[in-house]
Amino acid sequence: MVCVTEIPDDRPLSPDELPERLMEVFALVGPLYRRVQRKIEQDAPAQGLSVGTRAVLDLLREHGPMTVPQLGRAQSLSRQFVQRMVNDAAGHGFVETIPNPAHQRSSLIHLTEAGRTAINTAVTREHALLRQVGGDLTGDEVDSCVRVLGRMLELFGDVEVTGTPPR
């Protein structure tokens, strides 16, 4: 368990304090991501969803049809890796390709009814799990967390995405 140092006031952190506090965030985000990934993979056989396939379906559920390059950019993943996830999803009947009026060579990936059912089932299961977080978290605290993580993501926005993600 990582010990998080709490500063009781709401003053902006100094340039000397900020890096140390943000390292606390990194120390939590990595293990959290890997545990969530393992949990999704544990449930995958029942659903037919790998972590990558689930991410593709969720993006399509949220944003509608997208191209493979768009899916890759949205997830900071290589086009090749996303293509494998799309192929896996298509193999399960979760997605299909449809013509892209904006670009003849880059088809749109479209969520099928089976895909919509699969991702909705996964999201419902995940929401039930997340209800167990408990505690006294407020909307402001969650907003702050999202703001901090968003800022950190922006900081690394110029990092080139190539190859496949580490497993």
Side-chain angles (χ1 to χ4, degrees):
M1 181 83 176
V2 175
C3 180
V4 176
T5 307
E6 291 192 29
I7 296 178
D9 60 26
D10 61 355
R11 67 183 170 80
L13 295 172
S14 74
D16 292 330
E17 294 171 306
L18 185 60
E20 199 60 42
R21 295 303 310 276
L22 291 178
M23 289 305 293
E24 292 178 41
V25 174
F26 279 124
L28 292 170
V29 169
L32 174 62
Y33 172 79
R34 288 185 289 279
R35 287 181 186 189
V36 168
Q37 184 177 21
R38 283 188 209 111
K39 178 64 176 161
I40 291 171
E41 287 171 347
Q42 287 172 356
D43 294 340
Q47 188 90 43
L49 295 178
S50 67
V51 172
T53 301
R54 186 234 174 267
V56 165
L57 298 184
D58 198 41
L59 277 171
L60 296 174
R61 178 180 68 93
E62 289 290 320
H63 303 287
M66 299 173 75
T67 65
V68 169
Q70 288 170 332
L71 288 163
R73 282 191 299 275
Q75 299 176 85
S76 297
L77 294 170
S78 73
R79 187 199 59 74
Q80 295 85 355
F81 180 77
V82 173
Q83 184 64 62
R84 287 197 305 272
M85 295 303 100
V86 166
N87 293 347
D88 182 52
H92 285 91
F94 296 149
V95 299
E96 61 189 2
T97 59
I98 59 174
N100 182 353
H103 194 285
Q104 289 185 359
R105 294 187 57 205
S106 187
S107 297
L108 290 170
I109 308 305
H110 179 265
L111 198 57
T112 64
E113 277 308 308
R116 187 168 308 287
T117 298
I119 191 60
N120 286 343
T121 299
V123 168
T124 299
R125 185 179 59 248
E126 292 161 7
H127 283 191
L129 180 63
L130 291 173
R131 282 186 188 93
Q132 298 175 36
V133 168
D136 57 355
L137 295 177
T138 67
D140 286 344
E141 289 172 320
V142 174
D143 289 345
S144 293
C145 178
V146 170
R147 182 174 163 261
V148 168
L149 293 175
R151 282 280 191 77
M152 293 172 76
L153 186 59
E154 286 173 12
L155 175 65
F156 296 101
D158 64 338
V159 174
E160 184 67 29
V161 179
T162 59
T164 58
R167 298 261 335 167

